């Protein structure tokens, strides 16, 4: 786990390594928004165009997620 300010700094480094799955969560909506926006910009710069988004709640079916991969 990495805190949002440190994550934002990592995104600015030239050797930032893309992970297959990135989970961004927290109690501060502004940091979540900034982290998501910055990550999207970095990924667009590396020619990643598709994203899949899942909102997980008590009724989420994890088997459905496995079927999407």
């Amino acid at each position: 786990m990495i805190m949002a300010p440190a994550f934002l700094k990592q995104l600015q480094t030239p050797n930032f390594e893309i992970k297959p799955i990135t989970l961004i969560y927290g109690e501060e909506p502004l940091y979540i928004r900034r982290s998501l926006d910055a990550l999207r910009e970095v990924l667009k710069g590396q020619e990643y165009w598709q994203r899949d988004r899942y909102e997980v709640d008590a009724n989420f079916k994890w088997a459905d997620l496995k079927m999407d991969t």
Side-chain angles (χ1 to χ4, degrees):
M1 181 172 83
I2 185 169
M3 301 300 286
F7 180 69
L8 291 170
K9 284 185 180 182
Q10 275 190 359
L11 287 173
Q12 296 172 358
T13 61
N15 58 350
F16 176 72
E17 181 181 339
I18 304 297
K19 303 292 183 187
I21 296 175
T22 302
L23 173 64
I24 297 178
Y25 67 95
E27 296 177 10
E28 183 59 50
L30 181 59
Y31 272 133
I32 293 172
R33 171 65 70 187
R34 286 183 180 170
S35 296
L36 287 170
D37 290 346
L39 180 60
R40 285 186 197 122
E41 287 301 314
V42 167
L43 293 173
K44 282 181 188 176
Q46 296 183 14
E47 298 185 7
Y48 285 86
W49 300 105
Q50 179 180 340
R51 80 173 173 145
D52 296 320
R53 178 181 173 193
Y54 301 93
E55 292 191 26
V56 178
D57 61 10
N59 298 318
F60 187 78
K61 295 178 183 172
W62 289 98
D64 292 347
L65 178 63
K66 190 172 184 179
M67 295 297 289
D68 283 351
T69 58

